Amino acid sequence: HFFSPAHIMKLVEVVRGSDTSAETLDIIRVVTKRIKKVPVVVGNCDGFVGNRMLHPYTSESTLLLADYGGGEAGLGVSDVDAAVGPKYFGMAVGPFVMSDIAGNDIGYNIRREKGLLRDPETGEVGPNRKQMRYTELGDEMVEKLGRVGQKVKKGWYNYDPKVGKGRKPLPSSEMQALIDKYSAKPGMKLSEEEIIHRVLFPLVNEGFKILEEGIASDPSDIDIIYLYGYGWPAWRGGPMFWADNAVGLRKILSELEKFHAMHPNSEYYCPSKLLRACVSMGMGVQEYYNNGHAKVLESVVKSKL
C-alpha cells in the first residue's frame, strides 16, 4: 500500500495475510527497500494502520465545524488547519488542506460504501449510520456544490490558478455559508490545544486499538508509518511516542473519557483497553511492549498479522 504522492512519500504498508509466508514477506521488504521506500508490515483490516487512524482525525475535524463553526465568531476551517499544521503542532498540512489535495470525493465514496450517506430518493439516512454522531456537511459539499478539492479549484477552500500555482488555500464564502447551515449559532473559537486534543487524541486511541487487535506488532511501527506516510513532525517522534513522552497516557485517557461522556455516539472516543492497562500499570505503551507484556495480550487476542 503506497502513499500519495507516491514519488515523495517513502512509506509502503506491506499487508500480511493469514497465509503469507515469511519468504514472501522477506522478498517484498527487499524490493521495497530497493526502490528506496520504507516497508512496514501490517495486518489486514479496513484502512490498514495509517488510514484507519486517520478516520477519527478527519471525522472529528469536520464535526468540530458543525459543533462550533457558526458565524463570524465560530471555528473556521483555517483555525483547525492552523492548529494541526506547521505553525503550531507541526503536521505538514492540516486535515482540510490534506482532504482537498487527496480529493473530497474519496472520503465521500468511502462513506457511501459504508452505508452512511442519506438516500437521495427516500431521504432516509444510511443503514449503517444508526445513532452514530455524524454531520452531512462533508456530503453536501461534494453532492450539491461539487467541491471535491484542488483538482476542480474548490473544496474546503477556494484555489486560484494565479495564486500560488493554484495550490494556495483561499477562504470560501460558499463553504462558510454551508458550515453556518450545519452548525449551532453563534459558534465559538477553540484554542489550538483544545483542537489538538479533540482531533489527535482519538487518532492515538485508534493506534492503541490497532495494537490490541494485532494489526500492528509494535508501537514503533505506527510511529514509522506516520513519520514516513502522513507528514507527522519528526521532532515529535510519531503519535505513539508523542503520547508516551510528551502528553502522558493518563492525560490522554482522562481527556478521552471526558470527550466520550460528551459524545457517547463517537466510538473513537471510547478508550482502548490497552490504553487503560498501560495507565493502570504506570507505564508507556512502548515500555509495555519492551517489557514483554504484549505477549500476554497476544494470548487473549489472536494476531491478524
Side-chain angles (χ1 to χ4, degrees):
H1 178 219
F2 286 77
F3 287 75
S4 63
H7 66 292
I8 295 175
M9 307 309 287
K10 289 185 173 295
L11 176 69
V12 175
E13 285 180 322
V14 178
V15 183
R16 178 177 185 174
S18 57
D19 296 326
T20 306
S21 69
E23 181 183 8
T24 299
L25 279 179
D26 287 342
I27 292 171
I28 293 173
R29 285 194 189 100
V30 169
V31 171
T32 304
K33 291 177 181 178
R34 189 170 293 170
I35 60 173
K36 301 185 187 308
K37 299 291 185 181
V38 177
V40 179
V41 177
V42 301
N44 189 14
C45 68
D46 186 19
F48 307 129
V49 171
N51 284 347
R52 175 173 161 181
M53 290 173 65
L54 204 66
H55 166 69
Y57 165 70
T58 55
S59 296
E60 187 59 30
S61 295
T62 305
L63 284 161
L64 285 182
L65 298 180
D67 288 346
Y68 302 103
E72 292 183 5
L75 188 70
V77 173
S78 61
D79 294 324
V80 179
D81 277 343
V84 178
K87 292 184 179 180
Y88 187 75
F89 185 78
M91 294 281 276
V93 295
F96 297 114
V97 171
M98 179 190 69
S99 187
D100 276 354
I101 292 171
N104 299 311
D105 49 330
I106 294 176
Y108 173 85
N109 287 328
I110 290 172
R111 295 192 295 275
R112 180 171 58 188
E113 289 176 6
K114 289 184 175 181
L116 302 178
L117 299 187
R118 185 179 296 275
D119 189 309
E121 295 182 3
T122 65
E124 295 182 0
V125 299
N128 295 326
R129 192 188 305 182
K130 299 179 182 178
Q131 300 302 313
M132 181 189 300
R133 179 167 163 254
Y134 191 89
T135 177
E136 295 182 2
L137 168 59
D139 300 341
E140 185 167 335
M141 71 177 285
V142 172
E143 285 178 350
K144 297 183 179 179
L145 302 182
R147 302 187 67 95
V148 296
Q150 286 187 5
K151 56 191 172 186
V152 296
K153 304 296 184 284
K154 61 178 186 178
W156 291 100
Y157 298 92
N158 288 339
Y159 299 89
D160 186 338
K162 299 177 181 178
V163 181
K165 299 181 179 180
R167 296 188 178 278
K168 181 178 175 59
L170 303 170
S172 166
S173 57
E174 183 177 54
M175 272 308 301
Q176 185 57 54
L178 187 63
I179 291 168
D180 290 346
K181 173 182 174 181
Y182 280 95
S183 62
K185 296 181 182 179
M188 61 177 286
K189 298 289 187 184
L190 297 178
S191 71
E192 289 95 340
E193 201 70 10
E194 287 176 306
I195 294 169
I196 294 302
H197 290 185
R198 289 288 293 268
V199 304
L200 289 183
F201 284 8
L203 179 149
V204 168
N205 191 41
E206 199 65 31
F208 273 90
K209 293 178 181 179
I210 283 167
L211 289 167
E212 242 178 63
E213 297 170 20
I215 299 297
S217 59
D218 192 89
S220 63
D221 286 350
I222 294 175
D223 289 337
I224 291 170
I225 285 169
Y226 263 78
L227 287 167
Y228 285 100
Y230 291 89
W232 187 275
W235 62 275
R236 292 193 184 273
M240 309 313 285
F241 182 92
W242 174 69
D244 270 353
N245 297 282
V247 183
L249 300 191
R250 190 172 298 279
K251 180 175 181 179
I252 289 179
L253 176 58
S254 175
E255 289 292 283
L256 287 172
E257 288 175 333
K258 179 179 76 175
F259 296 146
H260 195 230
M262 291 168 56
H263 302 294
N265 293 328
S266 285
E267 180 61 27
Y268 49 73
Y269 277 140
C270 181
S272 152
K273 293 177 182 176
L274 175 58
L275 172 59
R276 291 189 184 278
C278 289
V279 171
S280 68
M281 296 171 73
M283 62 176 61
V285 66
Q286 190 62 63
E287 183 183 3
Y288 181 94
Y289 271 72
N290 290 347
N291 289 347
H293 295 293
K295 293 180 180 178
V296 177
L297 184 67
E298 289 171 3
S299 69
V300 179
V301 180
K302 185 178 180 181
S303 174
K304 295 179 175 64
L305 289 179

